[in-house]
Amino acid sequence: MTHHDEGKEIKVGKKQEVSGATEQTRSGLVFIPAVDIFETEHEINLMADMPGVKPDNVDIDLRENTLTIAGEITPFEEANEEDLLIEYEVGRYFRQFTIPELIDQGKIDARLSEGVLKLVLPKAEKAKPRKIEIRT
Amino acid sequence: MFTRGLWNLPTHGLRSHFDELDRMRRHLDQVFRQVEPSRFAGRGAGVFPLVNLTETAEAYVLRAELPGVAAENLDIQTMGRNITISGERMIEVEPSAKYHRRERESGRFSRAIALPGDIDRDRVSAVLKDGVLQVTIPKAEAAKPRKIEIK
């Protein structure tokens, strides 16, 4: 593992709101978490930024080949606070992915720390590349 | 916002429209800030992280979303009425892996925010939890609202 882009200045990333109200049945803002997805020989890794979400409030669902990640947040502003400057909004997180690989469902590992969800999806045995020996 | 009191009229239907307009305005503010950062931020200060600033009678409360930033990589300083949040967000990269998405930003940041009133520098406290930073900045005695008794 290496750190990349050292010394680079971070760019401001505006939170992306879910568009298309049809997929949500509840009111309130819904954001698309920024993700990194990378694949190694044995697993697919997903990292998602979900600030404000507590570990108990994440919902991960893998059904057929659709992976759904959702996070609930509890409002953290107190009732006696008056807004002076509001640059970002707060809301739930929701995003779906199609995972073409066969995943070993029983071995999925999910962790949430510092507002970042880390998912490890191990590939099922038959999805791993297998070298075929050619006999002579 | 400053004008929130105006919207607290018993017209709930209208209110949501005002909220929507308010959000559009904030969005435009952000766009302009990106185009012309010097107009909004102090010299050498960036626009990351985005912050929300609120106040109570006793204190200012500053919040910022900093997922994946460890407390040891975060530096908070006050100077006069200004507060600076700086640090670095480090994202590990797996060199041998094949990346399908890479949307999460890494790098250094520094953001200065001018508070509207005098602060009690000695009692500033900060909590970083679940990727959200919350800085509570008590107001200086002179900056607190005072109720005047009418004799």
Side-chain angles (χ1 to χ4, degrees), chain B residues 129-145:
Chain B
K129 193 166 185 295
D130 301 321
V132 179
L133 174 71
Q134 179 174 324
V135 189
T136 306
I137 309 144
K139 292 180 180 176
E141 279 304 319
K144 288 181 190 170

Side-chain angles (χ1 to χ4, degrees), chain A residues 82-84, chain B residues 1-8 18 22 25:
Chain A
E82 287 287 328
D83 294 348
L84 293 178
Chain B
M1 298 307 295
F2 292 108
T3 48
R4 185 195 251 182
L6 276 178
W7 311 145
N8 286 345
F18 284 126
D22 210 27
R25 192 185 49 71

Side-chain angles (χ1 to χ4, degrees), chain B residues 20-91:
Chain B
E20 190 57 35
L21 282 171
D22 210 27
R23 288 183 50 217
M24 283 166 66
R25 192 185 49 71
R26 284 173 202 161
H27 177 81
L28 282 173
D29 280 353
Q30 272 169 25
V31 171
F32 283 121
R33 217 171 273 142
Q34 282 168 342
V35 173
E36 209 179 340
S38 58
R39 260 181 62 182
F40 293 89
R43 190 172 297 177
V47 289
F48 183 92
L50 295 178
V51 299
N52 282 354
L53 181 68
T54 63
E55 68 171 340
T56 64
E58 296 293 313
Y60 298 106
V61 184
L62 185 71
R63 293 187 181 87
E65 294 186 330
L66 294 166
V69 177
E72 59 263 31
N73 292 327
L74 198 56
D75 184 58
I76 302 165
Q77 293 192 10
T78 57
M79 172 103 123
R81 285 184 178 182
N82 295 298
I83 185 157
T84 307
I85 300 168
S86 56
E88 184 169 9
R89 187 184 188 210
M90 289 181 275
I91 294 178

